[in-house]
Amino acid sequence: MELLDHCPVCGWKKPDGSKEVCRDYLLTMDLFQVVECENCRLRFTNPRPSKKEIAAYYYSEDYISHTDRKSSLMDKAYQYAKLIMLSRKVKMIGKHSKNQEQTLLDFGCGTGDFLLAAEKKGYNAIGYEPGKEAASKAQQKGVRVLCTMEDLRDTITHTKPDFITLWHVLEHMHEYPEIIDTLHDFLNKNGVLVIAVPVSTSKDANHYGRYWAAYDVPRHLYHFTPDTLVSSIVKKGFTFEGKHGLPFDSYYIALLSEKHKKQEQTGLNPGKTKLSISGIVKAATIASASNFSALLKRTPWSGEVYVFKKTE
Ligand SMILES: [Zn+2]
């Protein structure tokens, strides 16, 4: 475990305002503290597994964002929502540039579904994915994926991407915030950086508190709010162009959060915890309330996409 004695974004020496104590409901059932910087309000998991240690926390069949399993009803719903969201995401980023023949880098591309969707829409797309299993699944789909930063750097020198996308990736990265400088270097002139993250000030996050599934400790090292994310990126030579909501995220997250609550009552075994109909109805109600509140701009969406343009 590593303990950060300062805020990684602003350097504040007392990042000890404990916000929430959350459990790893997926794998170890260990408790992790989420702290909030007293100066810049950045929320992060502290202490956290080191870069070497974190791999052990990803070893689970339940980590479905890196697999394409379609067994349970929940997996099916997840995969279906994913398909709809993929085409929405490609359309979303298209609005931020008018040129034809765009090059795109999907940083942390997982099993390559967004890459595939982007390619179909005419993007010249490559992916970066250090997780070998996910990368090989992506490669089997026929998309181009690089697994090391060295290979990526070599490729980028020849063609700088017009778009870099990070779909629910930044919150996992030990390299944040320095990685933003690297991505800034990688991007073409006037290039667009697209970052999607869960938002820890959404209505569903407030409702579920420590059970909120998008805390996903210790895999999520950072727990962004619109302010902390945008200010840390703008500081690195970008302008903020706008944001979009991800309306399906709240449903998926609320279902998992209900499951976490049940796990806490019934002995923590993730494989044996099944949601009752009333649990599913409760989750759908909370998720809908969260989306409604976001539509009225009272609170952020459960998951949001932030768009930035390289300026310097
Ligand atoms: Zn700070």
Side-chain angles (χ1 to χ4, degrees):
M1 280 304 153
E2 61 185 22
L3 177 74
L4 301 183
D5 62 358
H6 63 277
C7 167
V9 163
C10 76
W12 189 253
K13 287 277 187 242
K14 262 176 61 190
D16 53 359
S18 178
K19 189 78 197 144
E20 209 75 77
V21 177
C22 305
R23 198 184 285 283
D24 169 15
Y25 287 100
L26 181 65
L27 204 65
T28 62
M29 305 304 133
D30 290 345
L31 293 169
F32 291 88
Q33 186 173 239
V34 171
V35 300
E36 183 176 281
C37 172
E38 288 173 9
N39 184 44
C40 75
R41 301 283 158 211
L42 179 76
R43 296 172 177 181
F44 52 103
T45 306
N46 199 27
R48 66 190 193 183
S50 67
K51 226 190 142 191
K52 238 184 188 170
E53 291 164 333
I54 200 98
Y57 291 90
Y58 283 91
Y59 187 75
S60 164
E61 265 300 299
D62 273 354
Y63 212 75
I64 60 175
S65 62
H66 274 208
T67 72
D68 294 330
R69 194 168 63 117
K70 289 178 187 148
S71 48
S72 75
L73 186 66
M74 196 130 145
D75 293 339
K76 277 183 191 141
Y78 175 83
Q79 299 293 345
Y80 182 67
K82 198 167 88 173
L83 272 181
I84 298 177
M85 280 317 292
L86 280 171
S87 72
R88 229 192 105 156
K89 283 171 176 173
V90 178
K91 264 191 206 149
M92 199 186 278
I93 68 162
K95 287 180 190 159
H96 294 274
S97 183
K98 292 182 185 74
N99 300 349
Q100 298 288 307
E101 285 222 14
Q102 305 273 8
T103 52
L104 180 147
L105 164 65
D106 190 22
F107 195 84
C109 66
T111 55
D113 294 308
F114 176 73
L115 271 183
L116 203 58
E119 262 191 355
K120 279 183 188 155
K121 289 283 175 196
Y123 287 90
N124 174 11
I126 57 162
Y128 166 71
E129 175 52 56
K132 291 211 173 71
E133 208 179 311
S136 109
K137 276 190 178 153
Q139 283 154 348
Q140 283 162 23
K141 292 172 187 167
V143 290
R144 194 168 164 220
V145 178
L146 304 168
C147 296
T148 67
M149 281 300 269
E150 290 72 32
D151 286 349
L152 181 58
R153 252 176 240 279
D154 287 349
T155 311
I156 294 294
T157 337
H158 302 297
T159 338
K160 288 198 159 195
D162 303 301
F163 286 93
I164 298 182
T165 51
L166 290 89
W167 302 106
H168 292 278
V169 167
L170 197 62
E171 65 272 23
H172 293 264
M173 295 195 69
H174 283 82
E175 295 85 352
Y176 171 80
E178 297 77 22
I179 189 67
I180 303 300
D181 297 312
T182 312
L183 299 177
H184 187 277
D185 286 349
F186 283 177
L187 263 178
N188 212 347
K189 197 169 172 252
N190 296 324
V192 175
L193 177 66
V194 178
I195 300 175
V197 291
V199 182
S200 67
T201 43
S202 59
K203 196 176 168 75
D204 50 303
N206 292 337
H207 173 84
Y208 285 111
R210 64 198 167 103
Y211 301 112
W212 189 54
Y215 278 122
D216 200 16
V217 289
R219 289 159 293 278
H220 288 186
L221 309 174
Y222 295 99
H223 314 278
F224 294 105
T225 67
D227 287 346
T228 56
L229 180 80
V230 171
S231 64
S232 77
I233 306 296
V234 165
K235 251 202 256 182
K236 303 280 191 184
F238 290 92
T239 52
F240 176 49
E241 298 283 299
K243 65 171 193 170
H244 307 268
L246 295 169
F248 285 118
D249 281 23
S250 56
Y251 291 95
Y252 176 65
I253 293 300
L255 281 168
L256 269 179
S257 306
E258 285 292 335
K259 195 178 164 194
H260 290 176
K261 264 173 116 170
K262 199 166 176 190
Q263 268 174 259
E264 196 69 56
Q265 295 154 2
T266 57
L268 302 175
N269 189 331
K272 286 190 181 146
T273 311
K274 291 272 174 285
L275 270 186
S276 62
I277 297 289
S278 77
I280 293 171
V281 171
K282 232 188 245 171
T285 310
I286 300 298
S288 303
S290 178
N291 285 358
F292 191 61
S293 174
L295 272 173
L296 297 177
K297 299 196 191 317
R298 286 189 187 142
T299 44
W301 295 84
S302 184
E304 295 194 326
V305 183
Y306 298 81
V307 182
F308 303 90
K309 201 163 251 179
K310 176 172 169 170
T311 48
E312 293 158 17

